[in-house]
Amino acid sequence: MTKVYRPPVPRLDRNRTRIETGTVRAVTDWEELTRLGLYDPHSPDAADRRELLEYLDAQGVTSAQMLEADEEGRLTFVASDIAIRPGAATLTLAATAERVGLEPATVVRLWRAAGFPPPGPDGPVLSDQDAEALRVLAIAVTVLGEDATVQVVRVFGTGLARMADAVFRAILKNVDNAYGPMSESPLEAARSSTMVNTMAEGSGLLLDVLFRRHVLGVSRASAHMTGTGPEASDLAIGFVDLVGSTGLVVDLSPTDLAAAMSEFDALSSEIAADHGGRVVKLIGDAVMFVTAVTADALAIALDLVAALAAHPVLPGARAAVANGLVTMRDGDYFGPVVNLSARLAQVAEPGSVVTDRAVADDLDPARFTTVDSGTHVLRGFVDPVEVRTVR
């Protein structure tokens, strides 16, 4: 049985009047909370509500913050929300723009590109920390231009939104009482929500280190690239398709299906990294990856197909690799070579890795052998393609 994490937190004493934190706090002002409609001593859930409110008070949450959170249906999580947010909103849009040296319209454009609702023109809408982040983007605008900076921010925002969702779902699944509807009480849900704070506190260092290493990896990989410019290069593109994945949908529960696809994602990413490649994206039951060296791409495909063949839950797979000039944009890849690899994977036999004749003829025979697998008419290609199975 998987062990769940229960975060250590301050405990209420039996009289529910003080918090054991090493110092004595003033007793919660119940008359004030009752007047605001936050507490009803005659309610059937009054005891649970009292515990929750006293815990929030011990965390420094004000009655005004409690009231606002209660109106939004997030009273249980207000302490976590306050701790994780990058400061309170104290700056207007105009003040922020003046501080960072950008036009208000540019600030709005960058904020929307990051994936957030546009800050309104009136009232405090951004924090000091928000302004410091925008100051960095103002430098980027000077160096890269506004359009390029907006596009980079859009990529960052999309990636970070996915990361945030993944971390949050992992906490809900693995931390005891983190999922509110299944928690022992609102108090326990509030306590467990502090795990989000814990993850956020270390995220700055984590993202900084990982991002720097990924930039270094891209820089090194670029040394192997040849092409016509910064957005076009000769690369190897691979696709690996699960065979019979429809059976997974039928046979597995939603939870088990999610776990199986996570395993597919993990296997793909780890094997690609082992050979100096990178998973570009999952597309349904297929994965697309890229490398600068064709032999490495074939090694990824062969190893991943072998790993899936031996997997106790995931079905087998088929794969293909093609190489040539591709267009690169925002971490994704486009062009006929990408389409060729995807179409080749569709004609591969289960458990096999295929490529076209041009790639096969250029392989090191001491490392790879190929077998003629016929000529196929592929969707989107005028001329038939000679297919070779790689071993």
Side-chain angles (χ1 to χ4, degrees):
M1 181 176 179
T2 303
K3 184 178 180 181
V4 293
Y5 181 86
R6 183 188 292 271
V9 291
R11 294 181 291 109
L12 292 166
D13 68 17
R14 288 298 86 203
N15 294 323
R16 299 195 181 104
T17 57
R18 300 173 190 269
I19 302 291
E20 297 175 3
T21 60
T23 59
V24 178
R25 282 186 57 88
V27 177
T28 304
D29 187 345
W30 297 110
E31 291 185 3
E32 169 72 3
L33 296 181
T34 301
R35 183 184 65 79
L36 292 173
L38 286 166
Y39 178 65
D40 179 0
H42 305 294
S43 173
D45 63 348
D48 285 345
R49 185 77 162 193
R50 186 182 182 95
E51 284 186 330
L52 173 61
L53 292 172
E54 195 154 26
Y55 173 76
L56 296 178
D57 180 63
Q59 302 303 306
V61 182
T62 67
S63 57
Q65 291 169 332
M66 293 182 197
L67 184 61
E68 181 180 1
D70 192 47
E71 291 172 349
E72 296 176 353
R74 292 194 55 79
L75 182 62
T76 301
F77 310 106
V78 62
S80 177
D81 289 347
I82 292 172
I84 201 172
R85 72 185 181 187
T90 58
L91 300 173
T92 64
L93 174 60
T96 303
E98 182 178 0
R99 176 182 292 192
V100 304
L102 293 171
E103 292 296 323
T106 302
V107 172
V108 170
R109 191 179 179 202
L110 290 166
W111 205 244
R112 292 183 66 201
F116 305 121
D122 302 319
V125 288
L126 296 170
S127 69
D128 288 333
Q129 290 90 331
D130 295 330
E132 288 307 303
L134 286 164
R135 192 190 302 277
V136 175
L137 295 181
I139 298 172
V141 169
T142 301
V143 176
L144 304 176
E146 183 173 323
D147 289 346
T149 301
V150 166
Q151 188 59 26
V152 169
V153 171
R154 185 172 292 114
V155 174
F156 263 63
T158 300
L160 290 170
R162 182 182 177 188
M163 291 167 56
D165 187 82
V167 170
F168 190 76
R169 302 299 164 191
I171 290 173
L172 290 184
K173 179 180 178 182
N174 297 294
V175 176
D176 199 19
N177 290 303
Y179 184 55
M182 297 178 63
S183 64
E184 297 173 21
S185 69
L187 172 62
E188 294 303 324
R191 287 174 167 174
S192 294
S193 72
T194 59
M195 276 305 298
V196 179
N197 312 350
T198 303
M199 297 294 290
E201 286 170 1
S203 63
L205 174 62
L206 175 65
L207 292 177
D208 179 62
V209 171
L210 295 184
F211 180 67
R212 288 171 181 269
R213 289 202 169 272
H214 278 300
V215 170
L216 183 60
V218 171
S219 177
R220 287 175 172 171
S222 68
H224 300 282
M225 297 179 185
T226 58
T228 59
E231 292 190 326
S233 182
D234 288 316
L235 295 169
I237 301 292
F239 277 84
V240 179
D241 291 339
L242 295 178
V243 177
S245 59
T246 303
L248 289 178
V249 178
V250 175
D251 297 336
L252 299 180
S253 68
T255 299
D256 290 339
L257 178 61
M261 296 310 295
S262 292
E263 181 69 9
F264 178 44
D265 189 4
L267 274 174
S268 302
S269 298
E270 291 166 7
I271 290 174
D274 288 344
H275 295 284
R278 178 177 71 84
V279 167
V280 178
K281 55 189 172 185
L282 289 175
I283 310 169
D285 58 358
V287 64
M288 172 184 167
F289 63 88
V290 62
T291 68
V293 181
T294 304
D296 292 340
L298 288 168
I300 293 169
L302 289 164
D303 285 359
L304 183 51
V305 167
L308 291 167
H311 198 277
V313 177
L314 290 168
R318 54 190 180 184
V321 170
N323 76 356
L325 192 66
V326 299
T327 299
M328 304 175 292
R329 181 172 175 82
D330 302 333
D332 206 345
Y333 301 81
F334 310 91
V337 170
V338 177
N339 297 337
L340 176 59
S341 182
R343 299 292 181 261
L344 284 170
Q346 293 173 356
V347 302
E349 293 293 328
S352 70
V353 176
V354 302
T355 190
D356 63 341
R357 179 177 177 178
V359 170
D361 288 347
D362 200 37
L363 294 177
D364 180 0
R367 185 175 182 186
F368 301 103
T369 59
T370 63
V371 177
D372 186 1
S373 297
T375 300
H376 295 259
V377 176
L378 304 180
R379 183 163 60 90
F381 291 84
V382 175
D383 298 325
V385 177
E386 294 183 43
V387 180
R388 300 288 182 88
T389 298
V390 183
R391 297 170 182 166

